[in-house]
Amino acid sequence: MIIARKVKAGALQFVLFVGAIVAVLLMSFLLLTYTHQHFEKKTDVLVEVLRSTNYGIEASLKSDFQIGEKYTVVKEEDIPITTTVEREFWGVFEKRKSLGVHGNTSYTKTVLIGGQEQEELLALYLNNHQRPVIIAGNAKITGNAFLPEQGLKMGNINGNSYNRNQLLYGKRFRSDSVLPKLSSDLKSQIDVLTNTNFIPQGEIVHRLSSEGIKNSFNNEIIIYKDRAVRLQNIQLTGNVIIVASSKIIIEASAQLTDVVLMAPEIEIQKGVVGTFQAIATESIYVGKKCNLFYPSALVVKKEKSFQGTGLVNNKATVNQTPTIHLNESVKVRGYVMVIDDNITKQYTPSVKIDANAKVIGELYCTKNVELKGSVDGTVYADGFIALENGSIYQNHIYNGIINSTQLSDKYVGLLLASRVENKEVMKWLY
């Protein structure tokens, strides 16, 4: 016989409570599992999108498309991703922006692009004007060199003769009467930047805040313009252009990273440390102990001048200011360039590199170079000149040192016409 018992209400409530807890736990577990799977899939998608942007940069380096155009990268993938690469310039460096998109997930990567030598890096390319290069004092050239037919000869300046065992520590080749050409895109970009009518496009700010500016390359360019600009106690980073109609002065208290400076005259005062591009139409002066990190560029493009014949007396030309002057103990990692379209004979240096100053990269000058410091890399020049005690020594290298073996064979630098098929990444931007 079954005896019916009453179940207390409290027990029923407990059972219901436990059931509810179990249900909540099960639902939480299911939700956690779903969330984990969702984020795992989303992470996989993001990783694939990131990889697609990298692939886009690499693929675009081997493709020929115009500045300002977008290149669509085609790659078979499990996840359908649209990757486009845009080709532009940032100052005198080529810039490429790769965008990968899958649904609502997108990612952008931006890089600076330069040219890499396919063969062994040269130490020197000197235009052939049917005269030898005279080396004196402690001068030394290490690496392969393209020289005039007359080659190298020993000389003497102020009683200091060349005293090394070899004239050239490398192979010698015969040069032409013109320097290796820049890529057509780089030449056009330099012409644009140094045109007096050029107006950069972007967001214009009317004052520089003491807090400085940090602007991603994914954002619109920030531009500050004035007649004369003095940069002091300020930090400028990224997608920023500073323009002056007369002169820019950079003091040691300024911290500049990846920015572009444009003015007729640019003065970089003693002790400045940074990474930037200085682009001028008249002159660039670099004070003692400045340290410019890779990739930096100092570029001056001078238009033809029709004032006078250019055939002035030696005393006047000796006192003429160099177009680019690197003072003692300066280090520039990147390249230094002077393009001077004047065809008159010059008896002064367009680029002057003082003792203990060093360029780690490339020096490209369509006129004369006075080299008392050193270049770890390559010098492309129309001629050399040495000014000592009021005397002018044409096509002389006095105490200057050029050594291409000190520069890594992975170095990425100047976009020469011969390097357009071998472009590589200089720097990943932000």
Side-chain angles (χ1 to χ4, degrees):
M1 186 172 75
I2 299 175
I3 301 174
R5 288 186 180 181
K6 290 184 180 181
V7 180
K8 294 183 178 179
L12 289 173
Q13 290 176 347
F14 179 74
V15 170
L16 292 173
F17 176 74
V18 170
I21 292 294
V22 170
V24 169
L25 290 174
L26 287 173
M27 291 297 294
S28 298
F29 177 75
L30 291 173
L31 182 60
L32 182 62
T33 303
Y34 171 79
T35 303
H36 178 73
Q37 291 176 344
H38 175 74
F39 278 104
E40 191 174 54
K41 289 179 180 179
K42 205 161 186 181
T43 300
D44 290 342
V45 169
L46 181 58
V47 169
E48 290 303 316
V49 170
L50 288 173
R51 287 176 178 170
S52 75
T53 58
N54 288 339
Y55 179 79
I57 294 292
E58 294 173 6
S60 74
L61 294 179
K62 308 302 179 185
S63 302
D64 183 23
F65 61 109
Q66 298 299 315
I67 296 293
E69 288 186 356
K70 290 185 179 181
Y71 169 73
T72 301
V73 179
V74 179
K75 182 185 178 185
E76 292 186 3
E77 296 175 297
D78 295 334
I79 301 174
I81 299 173
T82 302
T83 306
T84 56
V85 181
E86 189 172 358
R87 183 169 174 243
E88 300 174 317
F89 266 95
W90 178 240
V92 293
F93 297 147
E94 188 175 317
K95 182 181 74 173
R96 299 204 180 184
K97 183 182 291 186
S98 179
L99 171 64
V101 179
H102 171 77
N104 294 326
T105 304
S106 64
Y107 197 83
T108 301
K109 283 192 176 181
T110 307
V111 297
L112 295 179
I113 299 295
Q116 189 175 72
E117 197 62 52
Q118 300 185 47
E119 300 178 359
E120 187 175 351
L121 194 69
L122 292 179
L124 173 63
Y125 191 105
L126 189 69
N127 279 346
N128 186 355
H129 293 305
Q130 303 299 319
R131 59 183 181 182
V133 182
I134 312 299
I135 49 179
N138 293 319
K140 185 178 182 181
I141 303 173
T142 304
N144 297 338
F146 278 78
L147 299 167
E149 186 176 354
Q150 291 76 8
L152 297 169
K153 292 186 178 180
M154 291 186 292
N156 182 298
I157 295 180
N158 294 335
N160 297 314
S161 300
Y162 184 79
N163 52 15
R164 300 186 189 275
N165 296 327
Q166 297 175 227
L167 291 172
L168 175 65
Y169 292 83
K171 297 178 182 178
R172 172 186 160 186
F173 304 92
R174 185 175 175 178
S175 62
D176 293 324
S177 59
V178 292
L179 294 179
K181 292 182 179 180
L182 303 176
S183 74
S184 57
D185 288 332
L186 176 56
K187 185 178 182 302
S188 297
Q189 176 68 3
I190 293 173
D191 289 342
V192 168
L193 295 177
T194 55
N195 189 311
T196 54
N197 297 320
F198 172 67
I199 301 175
Q201 301 299 310
E203 177 190 350
I204 296 178
V205 296
H206 299 288
R207 60 182 295 271
L208 291 175
S209 169
S210 58
E211 297 177 357
I213 300 174
K214 186 174 183 179
N215 190 34
S216 168
F217 284 90
N218 294 328
N219 300 332
E220 186 179 14
I221 299 171
I222 292 178
I223 301 167
Y224 176 73
K225 299 171 64 176
D226 206 340
R227 188 186 67 81
V229 177
R230 179 180 288 269
L231 300 175
Q232 58 183 337
N233 298 314
I234 193 168
Q235 183 174 358
L236 301 175
T237 302
N239 207 13
V240 179
I241 297 178
I242 306 297
V243 183
S245 57
S246 60
K247 187 174 184 178
I248 294 176
I249 298 175
I250 306 104
E251 296 189 7
S253 59
Q255 299 177 45
L256 309 181
T257 306
D258 297 326
V259 301
V260 173
L261 311 174
M262 298 171 57
E265 296 180 45
I266 298 177
E267 179 182 342
I268 305 169
Q269 293 189 342
K270 178 181 177 181
V272 169
V273 177
T275 307
F276 55 86
Q277 300 178 57
I279 303 167
T281 54
E282 294 179 17
S283 65
I284 297 176
Y285 174 88
V286 186
K288 295 179 180 179
K289 297 182 180 180
C290 289
N291 197 352
L292 306 186
F293 292 101
Y294 179 86
S296 291
L298 305 178
V299 178
V300 178
K301 166 73 184 298
K302 301 187 82 170
E303 299 293 342
K304 289 182 180 179
S305 174
F306 299 99
Q307 295 180 354
T309 64
L311 299 175
V312 295
N313 62 70
N314 286 353
K315 183 177 180 181
T317 56
V318 167
N319 294 327
Q320 186 174 323
T321 303
T323 302
I324 294 182
H325 186 180
L326 307 186
N327 270 269
E328 293 180 8
S329 302
V330 166
K331 281 189 178 181
V332 178
R333 298 168 180 85
Y335 60 78
V336 176
M337 178 188 293
V338 170
I339 300 176
D340 191 336
D341 290 336
N342 288 289
I343 59 175
T344 54
K345 190 71 175 177
Q346 293 187 5
Y347 297 97
T348 55
S350 282
V351 176
K352 182 177 181 180
I353 301 179
D354 286 346
N356 298 317
K358 178 179 286 191
V359 175
I360 303 171
E362 294 167 289
L363 168 58
Y364 188 99
C365 179
T366 61
K367 295 296 181 182
N368 295 322
V369 173
E370 183 177 18
L371 179 62
K372 294 182 179 179
S374 61
V375 176
D376 287 352
T378 306
V379 175
Y380 304 91
D382 185 65
F384 286 97
I385 202 163
L387 306 180
E388 293 294 327
N389 298 323
S391 297
I392 300 174
Y393 297 86
Q394 293 188 57
N395 233 31
H396 279 62
I397 303 176
Y398 182 47
N399 293 331
I401 294 175
I402 306 171
N403 191 340
S404 62
T405 65
Q406 291 294 311
L407 195 62
S408 169
D409 57 3
K410 302 297 183 183
Y411 169 79
V412 180
L414 195 58
L415 272 174
L416 298 174
S418 60
R419 298 175 181 173
V420 293
E421 300 298 327
N422 198 38
K423 294 180 180 179
E424 296 292 341
V425 174
M426 300 177 78
K427 182 175 184 177
W428 293 88
L429 300 174
Y430 35 87

